[in-house]
Amino acid sequence: MTDDAPETIPDKEPDKTAPAVPEPGVQVIVQEWISLDGFAAGPRGESDLFAAVAPETSAAGQDWNMRLLPHVDEILMGRTTYELFAAYWPTADEPIAGALNTARKTVASRSLSSAPWGAYPEAAVVPDAVSYVRERRSQGGKFLIWGSVSVVHALLEAGEVDELDLFIAPIMLGEGLRAFPERSLLLQLHNVRHWRGTLHARYRPSAPREPGAAARDLVF
């Protein structure tokens, strides 16, 4: 008796034609690059994570966002992500730079009074991400949150996230910066693609969102 060889998933080129239009009802999209064990960065930062990501996959992530950005009203970020982005993107020559630099941006911070963005219009500054999202949601606003773990944690705890748009790198970091709060939340998979070892998975909370309600403590 012999064991069958394990089935493998063929490597695939990223699909640059897949639609990036948010589904009806999706207003707040959290997008994160994470490790298989849920870290957004390792002990030495994001380089620990991206060491496992093929260059073609990183480029495909940018291509995805170039198609997604026209369908959101603004980018929301925390102070740390803002400082990293503002130091790099205004002078970057990557394909997504133009769309990112001209997009409306808001920084959630209690320590900043302004948020310059090189030669481009400044980002707005608000003291509380949850209150701001709730106000703008009632006006039909659509948000994209990149990185910004503290903002993500606050929005998840407040039940204000409609979609988790995840790029899951083929690595387990063991320690570092956790992408999500340590609580349970039942999710429904809406779409998944395999890009050269990285999974691009889009999840939505299974329970209907109740305006202003805290996130439910559900089994994951």
Side-chain angles (χ1 to χ4, degrees):
M1 181 176 178
T2 59
D3 292 332
D4 293 333
E7 184 178 353
T8 60
I9 301 175
D11 220 2
K12 293 184 179 180
E13 294 288 339
D15 182 1
K16 295 185 178 182
T17 64
V21 180
E23 295 182 10
V26 172
Q27 289 182 257
V28 181
I29 301 171
V30 166
Q31 186 183 101
E32 297 283 351
W33 284 84
I34 63 171
S35 65
L36 191 60
D37 52 348
F39 291 97
R44 292 169 295 186
E46 289 184 349
S47 60
D48 290 339
L49 177 68
F50 283 97
V53 177
E56 305 96 310
T57 300
S58 181
Q62 283 201 30
D63 182 80
W64 170 261
N65 282 325
M66 287 178 66
R67 288 180 281 128
L68 177 61
L69 278 175
H71 302 288
V72 299
D73 297 310
E74 62 187 289
I75 301 167
L76 178 64
M77 64 193 84
R79 178 186 58 81
T80 300
T81 298
Y82 157 71
E83 290 174 344
L84 292 170
F85 276 30
Y88 177 77
W89 284 110
T91 57
D93 60 0
E94 298 181 41
I96 198 175
L100 192 159
N101 287 325
T102 56
R104 175 174 173 169
K105 292 173 283 290
T106 300
V107 181
S109 171
R110 291 187 172 88
S111 60
L112 295 177
S113 58
S114 63
W117 199 272
Y120 297 91
E122 289 191 3
V125 178
V126 297
D128 182 72
V130 173
S131 296
Y132 181 67
V133 165
R134 285 176 177 166
E135 178 185 356
R136 291 277 290 131
R137 183 193 283 277
S138 67
Q139 302 166 2
K142 294 184 178 180
F143 294 88
L144 176 61
I145 297 97
W146 278 328
S148 307
V149 168
S150 62
V151 171
V152 171
H153 284 207
L155 292 175
L156 280 170
E157 293 286 355
E160 293 294 337
V161 173
D162 298 319
E163 181 177 302
L164 292 171
D165 186 13
L166 306 180
F167 295 91
I168 306 169
I171 188 171
M172 297 180 72
L173 295 175
E175 58 180 321
L177 178 65
R178 286 205 171 273
F180 307 117
E182 295 185 4
R183 66 174 302 148
S184 56
L185 181 65
L186 186 64
L187 302 172
Q188 184 176 14
L189 181 65
H190 276 244
N191 191 281
V192 64
R193 294 180 179 84
H194 171 235
W195 292 354
R196 292 190 174 274
T198 294
L199 292 179
H200 180 200
R202 298 165 67 190
Y203 291 93
R204 294 183 67 180
S206 289
R209 197 192 73 83
E210 297 176 6
R216 293 173 174 80
D217 207 10
L218 299 173
V219 177
F220 179 62

